Amino acid sequence: MRTIIKNGTIVTAVGTYPGDILIEGEKISAIGLAFPAEQTDKIIDAAGKYVLPGAVDVHTHLDAPQMGTVTADDFESGTTAAAWGGTTTIVDFATQPRGGSLLQGYETWHRKAAGKAVIDYGFHMVIRQLNEQVLPEMDLLVRDEGVSSFKLYMSYPGDLMVGDAEIFRILQRSGENGGLVCMHAENGDVIDLIVKKALAEGKIAPKYHALTRPTKAEAEATHRAIALAEMVGVPVYIVHLSCADALEEVRDARQLGLPVYAETCPHYLFLSIEEYDRPGFEGAKYVMTPPLREKWHQDVLWKGLAGRDVSVISTDHCPFCIREQKEIGLNDFSLIPNGAPGIESRLMLVYDGGVRQGRITLNRMVELLSTNPARLMGLYPRKGTIAPGSDADLVIFDPEAKLVLSAKTHHTRVDYNLFEGREVTGVPITVLSRGQTVIEDRVFVGKAGNGKYIKRDHYQLV
Ligand code: DUC
Ligand code: ZN
């Protein structure tokens, strides 16, 4: 199959220029001007539009068990929603079962995704228990299976949390096998005590989820994660950084030249703690971890993104319906499943609220949504850029089109939208995954099972 995308403006992390793209099979074979149309199967006219590398979302939780339920999107609905939003690769969290091995968790996630994904996907491996098996399994996953990153939780004691000694040993092993450790940085033991006290005082409403998770608990754990990685001499990637205090820890480390990376998420950039004051149980929609912070943190995060101390924006898409799922915690905020949807709206929100508002440049947006996550997670240059030899994962993006974000029109299965009613300017119109059209002029033409598992390489520093 030979496709030409013509008349568009190509945007990468380092440049913006007019050019046509020739796609042969699954790959970009050339970039130039006026390729001959003979023997071409498809011509896509991108006049007046940007052509962006497909966005890469390295933080999703599809078909993921949590707190007595399972996230509302499986690999079909979740990757379909991702494609609608211009995302062409995800990296999801395969999780070690309690009492089980890493490989069991890895195989379980393969079964969840098989035949369902409409875009490409990879897996991080969540390590929740360090037993004798785990360290050699880490090596095997990196070397043979392309699982080149591990996630550790410093929160959720008794469930997912690992202690400092375990973290230290896993960091050491990652130094030997070339994996990258991704850290959920919150002091889980202390948060648990604060939560128990709140509940004992009869504080049961969703807003107490935020009021029991202080920014200092995130900053302390961020500091500890960085210190442990520094002692071992390996990089560390802090997931879903939400506040100024934690960013200060990252910035201090980076100023010392340490390989410390942070991602943030759209909800921390656009929403704040006031959402929890919504009437009734509505605040439960915004119960994610870390929680939404006071509004002033948003400006600090945007400056961190522009100033290069925050390297990635991912979604932490972890959707639970209000009905029957979030409602588990109607009488106890600590039982509300933690997580919120976002897989579909990331590119539109960051373009509308970031680029159009002058907070970051268009090229920096591409770097934050595609190039940096691809590099850090070992997908580059196959993913994350527009270049000959790269996969033809491309987004034709209309910078003037408008869309109102709403649960009535989105494509995830979750029954609410965090940004309900918000109008954005700038919409992905056509999306290609390895040369195949998945979204065509805002119509879904993809197919479950077309997405492939990607064995990732070692991280590249950015
Ligand atoms: N935070 C969330 O909001 N969801 C999944 C797990 C997490 O740490
Ligand atoms: Zn998460």
Side-chain angles (χ1 to χ4, degrees):
M1 171 105 174
R2 181 185 154 98
T3 305
I4 296 172
I5 301 177
K6 57 180 224 179
N7 304 324
T9 299
I10 296 171
V11 186
T12 69
V14 291
T16 305
Y17 57 97
D20 294 351
I21 299 174
L22 177 63
I23 301 166
E24 288 178 297
E26 299 189 342
K27 303 276 183 193
I28 295 169
S29 62
I31 299 170
L33 283 172
F35 293 111
E38 290 93 66
Q39 289 167 348
T40 298
D41 303 289
K42 186 166 184 165
I43 295 179
I44 299 172
D45 186 4
K49 316 252 182 2
Y50 293 133
V51 185
L52 312 175
V56 176
D57 188 351
V58 297
H59 194 143
T60 67
H61 301 268
L62 301 182
D63 206 351
Q66 199 212 99
M67 296 170 84
T69 185
V70 180
T71 50
D73 280 314
D74 65 8
F75 274 80
E76 181 165 354
S77 63
T79 57
T80 300
W84 274 100
T87 289
T88 52
T89 309
I90 61 164
V91 185
D92 201 80
F93 291 101
T95 304
Q96 176 191 21
R98 187 144 275 282
S101 69
L102 299 191
L103 287 183
Q104 283 168 340
Y106 173 66
E107 280 153 16
T108 300
W109 252 258
H110 267 299
R111 282 195 294 277
K112 289 172 190 276
K116 288 196 167 178
V118 309
I119 55 165
D120 290 348
Y121 58 95
F123 299 136
H124 313 275
M125 190 77 225
V126 176
I127 305 177
R128 69 194 322 178
Q129 282 174 309
L130 185 58
N131 53 44
E132 278 322 300
Q133 244 176 322
V134 161
L135 297 173
E137 279 189 308
M138 283 177 69
D139 303 344
L140 185 146
L141 284 169
V142 175
R143 191 188 59 227
D144 298 340
E145 303 300 329
V147 178
S148 50
S149 48
F150 300 92
K151 181 178 181 189
L152 306 181
Y153 285 87
M154 300 170 89
S155 62
Y156 304 122
D159 182 14
L160 291 160
M161 189 171 107
V162 283
D164 291 350
E166 289 168 303
I167 294 171
F168 195 76
R169 288 183 69 199
I170 292 166
L171 285 165
Q172 283 177 319
R173 196 68 168 219
S174 76
E176 290 161 21
N177 61 35
L180 176 66
V181 172
C182 305
M183 203 69 90
H184 177 129
E186 280 186 308
N187 186 321
D189 281 331
V190 168
I191 287 170
D192 246 31
L193 290 173
I194 304 173
V195 167
K196 286 202 177 90
K197 180 166 183 288
L199 289 172
E201 290 166 357
K203 296 169 175 167
I204 58 167
K207 71 173 177 186
Y208 292 105
H209 173 74
L211 297 176
T212 54
R213 304 186 92 89
T215 57
K216 282 294 167 220
E218 185 180 343
E220 183 280 326
T222 304
H223 181 89
R224 191 157 30 105
I226 293 169
L228 293 171
E230 184 184 2
M231 283 187 256
V232 176
V234 293
V236 66
Y237 178 94
I238 307 293
V239 301
H240 52 41
L241 184 140
S242 73
C243 61
D245 323 34
L247 178 53
E248 212 172 292
E249 302 292 342
V250 171
R251 184 181 303 120
D252 287 352
R254 288 174 66 84
Q255 277 172 1
L256 292 172
L258 296 172
V260 171
Y261 300 93
E263 67 170 25
T264 190
C265 311
H267 39 265
Y268 303 122
L269 296 169
F270 296 108
L271 300 172
S272 57
I273 195 163
E274 285 76 29
E275 303 294 348
Y276 299 109
D277 293 330
R278 286 172 179 255
F281 191 59
E282 219 193 318
K285 292 177 179 172
Y286 303 88
V287 168
M288 77 283 285
T289 310
L292 300 176
R293 305 301 193 181
E294 287 173 17
K295 197 168 172 50
W296 63 270
H297 290 271
Q298 293 172 12
D299 258 352
V300 180
L301 293 178
W302 279 111
K303 288 193 178 103
L305 289 164
R308 312 189 89 77
D309 286 322
V310 182
S311 305
V312 172
I313 304 175
S314 61
T315 65
D316 196 4
H317 181 74
C318 188
F320 297 103
C321 291
I322 270 283
R323 288 188 21 222
E324 290 178 14
Q325 295 198 294
K326 293 281 185 181
E327 279 175 358
I328 295 168
L330 251 181
N331 299 312
D332 176 346
F333 71 88
S334 75
L335 300 180
I336 300 170
N338 285 193
I343 203 165
E344 190 167 345
S345 50
R346 177 179 58 144
L347 167 58
M348 292 182 276
L349 284 166
V350 173
Y351 180 77
D352 182 68
V355 177
R356 280 177 58 87
Q357 296 302 316
R359 286 164 158 155
I360 52 172
T361 66
L362 186 59
N363 306 100
R364 180 67 177 151
M365 178 189 81
V366 168
E367 195 169 29
L368 290 163
L369 301 185
S370 294
T371 316
N372 279 356
R375 291 181 76 102
L376 284 163
M377 296 303 162
L379 291 159
Y380 186 90
R382 181 165 177 191
K383 312 286 190 189
T385 191
I386 299 178
S390 294
D391 282 355
D393 291 359
L394 297 163
V395 178
I396 318 294
F397 186 85
D398 184 341
E400 299 304 330
K402 293 184 191 303
L403 186 83
V404 176
L405 303 178
S406 172
K408 294 191 196 88
T409 48
H410 70 196
H411 301 86
T412 136
R413 286 198 190 128
V414 77
D415 61 358
Y416 71 96
N417 191 303
L418 275 188
F419 298 93
E420 186 66 41
R422 184 183 174 119
E423 186 184 76
V424 289
T425 301
V427 176
I429 303 296
T430 291
V431 177
L432 283 80
S433 164
R434 275 183 288 100
Q436 285 186 314
T437 313
V438 184
I439 306 289
E440 183 154 31
D441 288 330
R442 299 295 292 162
V443 175
F444 181 75
V445 295
K447 191 163 158 276
N450 277 1
K452 273 194 195 157
Y453 175 70
I454 305 289
K455 285 190 178 185
R456 295 179 291 124
D457 295 325
H458 297 292
Y459 60 81
Q460 294 174 31
L461 299 183
V462 301

